Amino acid sequence: MSSEGGAGAKKTLHPRLETGVPRLDFITKGGLIKGASYAVLGPPGSGKTVLAHQIAFWHVKHGGKALYVTLLTESHARMLANLEGMSFFDASVIPEKLHYISGYRQLESEGLKGLLELVRRAARQHQATLLILDGMDVAKDLARGDLTYKRFLQELQTFIGILGCTTLLLSPHDPAELLPETTAVDGIFALSLWLSGPRAVRELVTLKFRGSDALLGKHELEISDRGVIVHPRTEVQFADPVEQVEGERVRMGFGVPRLDESLHGGLLSGSTTMLLGAPGTGKTLLGLRFLLEGARQGQPGVYFGFYETSQRLIEKAEGVGMGDLRKHVDAGLIEIQWQPPLEHNMDALAERLLERIHERKVKRLRLFVDSVAGFRSAAVYPERMSRFFSALSHQLRMLDVTTLYSDETALFTPGVEVPQPDATAYVENVILLRYVELRSQLYRLISIMKMRESQYDSGIREFSITDKGITVADTFESAEAVLTGHAIMTEGVRDVRRKAPMGEKAKPRKRPQPKVRRKPAPRRRS
């Protein structure tokens, strides 16, 4: 946080210590402040030790020296053995650059005063620029009272301030507890581990960060062989996109004549479209057709899906007249990103998608996300969905990506039930695919429900998928009730003909004759 005086005062920036933890420095807007002290709180298994070591190894790799003091009975060898599988682990820096000492016996025999003297002596001897005390709950338990423990923290901070050493204090306490170190330190990182149904969720919250702004609120984190990876909330991470769309907007067609005519040439580049439809109505195939049409014009495309592998998608496309999809995938013009059926993090998915788009460095990119339900299943907090997709869509729009989302509606309902009713707030266009039953036969219908910044034809048209491709016909003559899911024949229609499926000849139907009710014969009296 910069200090401001009177008019013309200059902003003072504190020197920073980078952590090397993916996106943690983004949350703290530059890293830890050098010489400051930070409490890292959280239950066992939440990632405190991994986080501290990841910061320590990154620090010594970039010229610093770290001192790791344990106050627990666990041996250093066992602790390091648990870290050997991490990609950041480097045994060659131990003990010259990363030095370990145990303060448990000193604390037990001489109390906090003896521990403080041990830390002072070791920090000077090893010229530490990063100090980590692991197991602060032990120090607090052995203190004679909160006042003694607070005095210890104050003296420790005074010493490290003179030394210019950044300090991490690790404690397994619940962040909700009011601990002495929460008022004495410059910053607090609270880690949590909890269950959302059968899923284990790890989160990080910055409760306090003196000297700078920080991104508040909960952010999911994961622990892998890379160590701790923080995933800031998408609606915060991309709240202020800096890139701007340049150049004239163009039309992005599907290559389906009647549909492109209805769209007056296609979707506007940089726009976001929701493709709604019941299962089996053809959303995936229409999305692939959108990517394929772009590839035929030399425009790159990305398929970001959750349900079908690359090979299965290509085989499906080949069965409906899109045989050249494989050629464009092999050439790299169309990229298929399939998310395996694992437990995903919603923000990590968005990061993966956007990072790959940045890596490709292409213009006029087409994107098909199949489907929104994949993100929805990864959401720990469903109430975030609207803000999440609003931020993601805005970021894609600023990158001049023309995005097509698919989402499922119910198979047969008396009305159009949108899975996410507020989706229309963050998409410019909505295309609806529906089944309709007419005289014991199912038809596919397509209609444009909404299109901002452009004229469009709102007529309802028959939509068919054959081995030759996707075809959209003229307006369906008996579909005035399509939005209710019940197509009916209008009374008084003289020429009653069945609209045949495309490729068949229309056959005349006999006009239903009214039933004649005969009067009952008078009964004879006996």
Side-chain angles (χ1 to χ4, degrees):
M1 182 172 60
S2 60
S3 59
E4 296 183 1
K10 295 183 179 179
K11 294 183 178 180
T12 303
L13 299 178
H14 297 284
R16 296 299 186 107
L17 184 147
E18 293 184 357
T19 64
V21 178
R23 298 182 185 85
L24 179 58
D25 293 344
F26 176 81
I27 289 177
T28 59
K29 298 190 176 182
L32 306 178
I33 295 176
K34 288 185 178 181
S37 59
Y38 298 91
V40 182
L41 311 178
S46 57
K48 299 184 301 298
T49 302
V50 176
L51 178 68
H53 275 93
Q54 194 170 347
I55 295 173
F57 277 101
W58 176 270
H59 183 64
V60 300
K61 181 181 178 180
H62 291 81
K65 289 189 176 182
L67 175 64
Y68 201 110
V69 183
T70 58
L71 304 179
L72 306 174
T73 56
E74 182 183 29
S75 67
H76 295 155
R78 184 176 179 183
M79 182 172 59
L80 293 175
N82 295 330
L83 297 169
E84 286 181 353
M86 301 287 182
S87 61
F88 62 77
F89 183 81
D90 182 6
S92 66
V93 301
I94 303 171
E96 286 77 12
K97 295 182 179 180
L98 175 54
H99 191 77
Y100 290 86
I101 62 172
S102 175
Y104 182 74
R105 291 184 179 179
Q106 198 87 7
L107 176 63
E108 190 177 32
S109 60
E110 300 181 24
L112 293 177
K113 185 176 181 180
L115 174 62
L116 183 61
E117 185 58 35
L118 173 67
V119 172
R120 283 175 175 170
R121 186 167 59 250
R124 286 197 185 99
Q125 179 182 350
H126 296 284
Q127 299 179 337
T129 50
L130 176 65
L131 170 65
I132 301 171
L133 274 73
D134 192 350
M136 293 300 293
D137 57 316
V138 178
K140 183 177 184 301
D141 291 342
L142 293 180
R144 287 173 294 182
D146 285 349
L147 183 60
T148 305
Y149 186 58
K150 285 184 178 181
R151 186 180 296 116
F152 163 76
L153 292 174
Q154 184 179 15
E155 292 178 0
L156 176 65
Q157 279 195 307
T158 302
F159 166 71
I160 62 176
I162 296 173
L163 198 62
C165 182
T166 308
T167 304
L168 301 179
L169 308 176
L170 278 56
S171 176
H173 287 292
D174 186 341
E177 296 181 34
L178 185 60
L179 302 174
E181 58 259 43
T182 60
T183 57
V185 296
D186 299 300
I188 303 172
F189 296 105
L191 308 183
S192 61
L193 175 62
W194 57 283
L195 294 178
S196 175
R199 174 184 173 184
V201 179
R202 287 186 171 94
E203 292 178 320
L204 177 144
V205 181
T206 306
L207 295 178
K208 177 181 179 181
F209 202 84
R210 288 176 181 163
S212 173
D213 292 332
L215 300 183
L216 303 179
K218 296 180 179 179
H219 308 282
E220 282 195 59
L221 62 83
E222 62 176 310
I223 300 177
S224 67
D225 57 355
R226 295 171 54 194
V228 171
I229 302 173
V230 183
H231 301 293
R233 299 192 317 281
T234 300
E235 56 268 34
V236 176
Q237 188 172 175
F238 302 110
D240 299 309
V242 295
E243 299 189 48
Q244 297 293 329
V245 179
E246 297 181 359
E248 185 180 355
R249 300 179 73 182
V250 298
R251 294 283 181 172
M252 300 284 203
F254 286 82
V256 181
R258 286 294 187 186
L259 177 57
D260 289 341
E261 287 177 16
S262 299
L263 295 168
H264 282 231
L267 305 173
L268 283 171
S269 59
S271 65
T272 306
T273 302
M274 182 66 74
L275 188 60
L276 291 173
T281 49
K283 299 184 300 298
T284 299
L285 290 176
L286 191 58
L288 290 176
R289 188 69 181 81
F290 179 69
L291 298 180
L292 181 58
E293 178 62 18
R296 288 172 177 173
Q297 299 177 21
Q299 297 168 349
V302 173
Y303 173 90
F304 193 85
F306 296 86
Y307 308 114
E308 296 179 281
T309 63
S310 174
Q311 183 60 31
R312 187 172 178 181
L313 280 170
I314 292 173
E315 291 174 355
K316 178 182 285 190
E318 289 174 340
V320 292
M322 292 188 282
D324 54 340
L325 179 66
R326 184 186 297 272
K327 176 184 69 175
H328 294 297
V329 171
D330 292 341
L333 197 56
I334 295 178
E335 180 177 335
I336 297 178
Q337 296 184 28
W338 173 60
Q339 319 309 312
L342 305 173
E343 288 186 350
H344 296 292
N345 174 282
M346 186 169 69
D347 300 300
L349 290 170
E351 291 165 6
R352 190 180 311 159
L353 172 61
L354 291 169
E355 285 173 359
R356 183 61 188 131
I357 290 174
H358 278 285
E359 289 171 1
R360 294 190 67 177
K361 297 180 181 179
V362 296
K363 295 182 179 180
R364 301 297 189 203
L365 181 75
R366 297 187 182 210
L367 169 66
F368 176 41
V369 177
D370 190 25
S371 69
V372 171
F375 284 94
R376 192 177 294 120
S377 64
V380 177
Y381 304 99
E383 62 272 16
R384 283 187 53 208
M385 287 297 294
S386 180
R387 297 189 300 274
F388 169 85
F389 269 103
S390 180
L392 176 60
S393 300
H394 189 55
Q395 182 70 10
L396 291 168
R397 202 174 290 118
M398 291 299 100
L399 295 173
D400 197 21
V401 176
T402 307
T403 305
L404 190 65
Y405 295 117
S406 70
D407 206 358
E408 284 195 355
T409 59
L411 191 58
F412 291 110
T413 59
V416 180
E417 296 181 4
V418 182
Q420 197 169 324
D422 50 3
T424 55
Y426 60 79
V427 299
E428 289 92 342
N429 318 311
V430 178
I431 299 176
L432 177 67
L433 303 178
R434 288 294 303 268
Y435 280 122
V436 64
E437 182 182 359
L438 179 62
R439 293 207 168 102
S440 302
Q441 187 167 348
L442 288 178
Y443 296 86
R444 289 185 178 97
L445 300 179
I446 187 169
S447 56
I448 303 167
M449 306 295 294
K450 167 189 172 184
M451 196 169 180
R452 290 179 188 163
E453 304 174 348
S454 173
Q455 295 181 345
Y456 64 94
D457 181 2
S458 60
I460 300 169
R461 301 176 184 273
E462 187 180 357
F463 170 62
S464 65
I465 302 172
T466 68
D467 57 355
K468 295 182 179 180
I470 299 173
T471 310
V472 174
D474 292 332
T475 303
F476 196 82
E477 65 180 1
S478 303
E480 72 270 9
V482 65
L483 295 183
T484 64
H486 301 286
I488 59 174
M489 299 300 295
T490 306
E491 294 182 4
V493 178
R494 294 185 178 182
D495 183 16
V496 183
R497 285 180 174 267
R498 178 177 65 90
K499 175 73 174 181
M502 299 179 65
E504 297 183 14
K505 293 182 179 180
K507 298 178 181 180
R509 281 187 178 272
K510 294 182 179 180
R511 187 171 182 176
Q513 299 296 324
K515 293 183 179 181
V516 179
R517 298 184 63 183
R518 297 181 178 180
K519 295 182 179 180
R523 297 178 61 183
R524 293 183 179 179
R525 294 185 179 180
S526 57

